[in-house]
Amino acid sequence: MKWSEAVAAVRTVEVAGRGDVDVRGVQYDSRRVSGGDVFVAMRGGTTDGNRYIDAAIMKGAAAVVTDSREVFDELRERQPELAVALVEHGRRALAEVSAEVFGHPERVLKLSAVTGTNGKTTTAFLLEQMLQSVGRKCVLLGTIETHVAGVVRESEHTTPESRDVLALFYEGVRAGCTEAVMEMSSHALDQERVWGLPVDVAMFTNLTQDHLDYHGTMERYAEAKARLFAGAGAPPPQVAVINCDDPYEETMCREFCGETLMTYGVDEGDWRAEEIELGAGLTRFVWRTPQGAVRIESPLTGRVNVYNLMAAACAAFARGLTMKEIAKAAGSLKQVPGRFEVVPGSREAGFTVVVDYAHTDDALKNLIALARDLVKEQRGRVITVFGCGGDRDRTKRPKMGRVAAKGSDLVVVTSDNPRSEEPMAIVAEVLAGVRETDTACVVEADRAKAIEMAIRAAGPGDIVLLAGKGHEKVQIFADGAVPFDDVAEAARVLKSEVHA
């Protein structure tokens, strides 16, 4: 592709240099540039890509896009033959030039996108499985994993930069995919990392306190989520699937101006769950809809998964599956890693150890409530191990401490990912909430020791909850990340208990 063709798709302020050079790829990280690439230099929250333009040119960049007038003028004077474009919005330009160079794979795939505080990952996984159950090939982008036509790889971000999304879409189209399912975080929507992606079905799960270190207020957090329903550099979604049991339903609905609104819920909604039955490894309900009713039964656990199932089922219906096909798929759905994941070998020990990603007060409250229901018959206890992430919203720390203590019989406060903060300083803020109750509490900042302590304290019929990190395989400290896996740590302790 000629540079003149690629840059024609970008909203530019000014273009200079040769237009007949060949371009073969797009990069925004100078370390990944190879010969023939377009290098998009944009100012971000932590760094300025314009500082690395010379490095990109040295590695063979054929053209440069910059969002700096000063840099553009300097390049035009210093290297008049260099293909260079000045843009107002760097991230929008990255999306526009990437789409053009990759041949617009986003126009081939039907995209279903989910946003919300909790449930995004599970809903995305469930929808992908439902679509696959009728033979459709999918691309999935999410917090835990990325899938391209069934090939699994680890995810670096919940929602990558637009260039990386489009590269995965391109791979998917070449592999025969017709569907894409992705999580859209509030950060990605606010920063326009999903600019220009045409969404067919948009889903909203819920909104509870999180990421206020970035957004500042719940109102701004909600507004960022709601951008999905207005369309970000693309027409609004064809279909909106919105949880009407959530207080922020109205905010999401107000932004939506597409064709079809599907509201789901337990208390209300046009698509709702009735006659709910819950148990360990069982969720059953009647799905009452404008198209009739069908019984849904799945091996998932907990009331929260009623909502996740309904969100995915509504989206699947919008994507053309019949209610009968959805009900059949629900019966064989697989659990998402790190979402109420039972550690192998724990039940044989007479109690249950569960790993879950719950890292907000609302998610932790729901997790503990589910555990409480499951231990009722055996009169077991709920033992909760959790911490709070460093360099994140500090106001939720006492709230999480309060919620954990109110619902649990024993709380072990430990580290999550302390990042640049002192672990015990985080613990102290959590304890402010715990101490509002009379619940027994133990502090152990070393997460491995905390997990061991909780498991050794467990007795018959108890549930030990290891909350906050879920699927994560590292723990992040001020001096970097170290390997750490809650499931592996718990399995190690259980094995040592067996052989003790």
Side-chain angles (χ1 to χ4, degrees):
M1 172 179 284
K2 298 297 182 184
W3 167 241
S4 58
E5 297 172 315
V7 78
V10 182
R11 276 166 278 197
T12 58
V13 176
E14 192 173 345
V15 177
R18 294 175 55 190
D20 60 350
V21 295
D22 292 318
V23 295
R24 295 194 292 270
V26 181
Q27 295 294 348
Y28 57 90
D29 184 336
S30 63
R31 295 167 296 184
R32 292 162 56 180
V33 169
S34 58
D37 282 345
V38 178
F39 179 63
V40 180
M42 56 190 183
R43 287 165 287 195
T46 58
T47 189
D48 183 351
N50 290 286
R51 295 166 52 195
Y52 304 99
I53 288 175
D54 286 343
I57 293 172
M58 288 287 290
K59 295 191 74 173
V64 172
V65 176
T66 175
D67 58 5
S68 167
R69 163 58 76 177
E70 181 182 356
V71 169
F72 176 83
D73 289 343
E74 189 269 334
L75 283 173
R76 186 173 56 178
E77 182 178 341
R78 179 163 55 94
Q79 294 183 256
E81 291 294 302
L82 177 68
V84 59
L86 173 65
V87 298
E88 185 177 352
H89 300 286
R91 272 204 166 96
R92 294 182 185 182
L94 177 64
E96 290 161 355
V97 73
S98 297
E100 193 69 18
V101 171
F102 285 116
H104 290 284
E106 79 284 2
R107 295 176 182 173
V108 178
L109 300 173
K110 291 295 186 181
L111 174 59
S112 299
V114 55
T115 197
T117 306
N118 303 310
K120 294 189 301 295
T121 298
T122 299
T123 299
F125 265 73
L126 299 183
L127 176 56
E128 182 199 31
Q129 291 180 65
M130 289 178 182
L131 294 169
Q132 288 174 330
S133 73
V134 293
R136 299 187 195 177
K137 287 187 177 182
C138 303
V139 176
L140 177 126
L141 286 81
T143 303
I144 301 176
E145 296 172 349
T146 296
H147 303 167
V148 179
V151 178
V152 180
R153 63 188 75 169
E154 287 188 15
S155 294
E156 293 184 11
H157 304 285
T158 297
T159 312
E161 292 285 357
S162 58
R163 180 263 171 214
D164 300 327
V165 172
L166 289 159
L168 289 164
F169 282 7
Y170 173 71
E171 284 186 51
V173 170
R174 293 187 67 187
C177 294
T178 58
E179 305 274 349
V181 181
M182 68 182 292
E183 299 177 45
M184 284 194 183
S185 67
S186 58
H187 291 69
L189 287 158
D190 185 65
Q191 295 169 3
E192 299 185 334
R193 280 187 257 145
V194 292
W195 185 262
L197 294 182
V199 177
D200 190 66
V201 181
M203 294 162 275
F204 168 68
T205 57
N206 51 65
L207 197 80
T208 60
Q209 184 174 329
D210 200 13
H211 304 305
L212 295 193
D213 54 299
Y214 177 84
H215 295 289
T217 67
M218 286 297 292
E219 288 70 28
R220 288 173 59 190
Y221 182 29
E223 288 167 5
K225 294 285 190 189
R227 290 179 187 179
L228 172 59
F229 299 95
Q238 296 290 309
V239 180
V241 175
I242 293 176
N243 176 7
C244 66
D245 287 347
D246 189 87
Y248 287 90
E249 170 212 6
E250 187 177 333
T251 303
M252 306 302 147
C253 289
R254 188 168 58 241
E255 290 298 315
F256 178 61
C257 52
E259 294 183 6
T260 305
L261 174 63
M262 301 173 72
T263 58
Y264 70 94
V266 171
D267 301 323
E268 298 179 10
D270 296 327
W271 305 69
R272 60 185 180 273
E274 299 177 349
E275 301 176 33
I276 298 171
E277 300 174 49
L278 302 173
L282 172 67
T283 295
R284 182 187 294 136
F285 60 89
V286 173
W287 191 32
R288 186 82 55 190
T289 83
Q291 308 299 320
V294 67
R295 183 169 291 276
I296 299 289
E297 183 172 322
S298 90
L300 304 180
T301 301
R303 186 179 179 87
V304 67
N305 277 316
V306 173
Y307 284 94
N308 295 333
L309 278 163
M310 282 196 292
C314 287
F317 185 86
R319 289 296 313 125
L321 273 69
T322 66
M323 292 181 66
K324 185 176 180 181
E325 288 171 333
I326 292 167
K328 182 180 179 182
S332 57
L333 293 171
K334 296 177 183 177
Q335 180 64 50
V336 180
R339 294 342 188 239
F340 207 84
E341 182 176 355
V342 176
V343 177
S346 62
R347 284 176 174 159
E348 290 80 352
F351 50 85
T352 305
V353 181
V354 171
V355 171
D356 194 273
Y357 190 54
H359 62 284
T360 67
D361 56 307
D362 186 67
L364 191 58
K365 179 181 178 181
N366 291 334
L367 173 66
I368 293 170
L370 170 57
R372 179 63 65 193
D373 284 342
L374 296 178
V375 300
K376 271 182 184 176
E377 285 188 17
Q378 296 179 303
R379 297 182 180 179
R381 298 177 302 156
V382 176
I383 301 171
T384 302
V385 180
F386 81 104
C388 290
D391 302 334
R392 298 293 186 267
D393 178 14
R394 293 174 57 183
T395 65
K396 72 179 183 180
R397 293 172 185 174
K399 294 179 181 180
M400 290 183 67
R402 188 181 310 115
V403 161
K406 282 186 175 180
S408 307
D409 298 287
L410 171 64
V411 171
V412 181
V413 180
T414 187
S415 291
D416 191 291
N417 293 314
R419 299 183 178 88
S420 70
E421 291 192 61
E422 172 58 41
M424 288 307 296
I426 299 173
V427 167
E429 294 184 351
V430 172
L431 290 176
V434 175
R435 287 172 178 151
E436 293 178 19
T437 75
D438 296 325
T439 301
C441 175
V442 177
V443 172
E444 174 51 71
D446 185 314
R447 193 172 180 92
K449 291 180 180 178
I451 290 171
E452 182 171 358
M453 186 181 296
I455 291 175
R456 294 195 187 284
D462 291 350
I463 285 185
V464 178
L465 301 175
L466 310 180
K469 289 180 59 60
H471 61 282
E472 294 178 0
K473 304 301 181 187
V474 297
Q475 193 171 15
I476 306 169
F477 295 90
D479 55 355
V482 298
F484 196 93
D485 182 339
D486 278 2
V487 175
E489 284 297 323
R492 177 188 61 78
V493 176
L494 289 165
K495 186 177 181 180
S496 67
E497 285 281 280
V498 170
H499 296 293

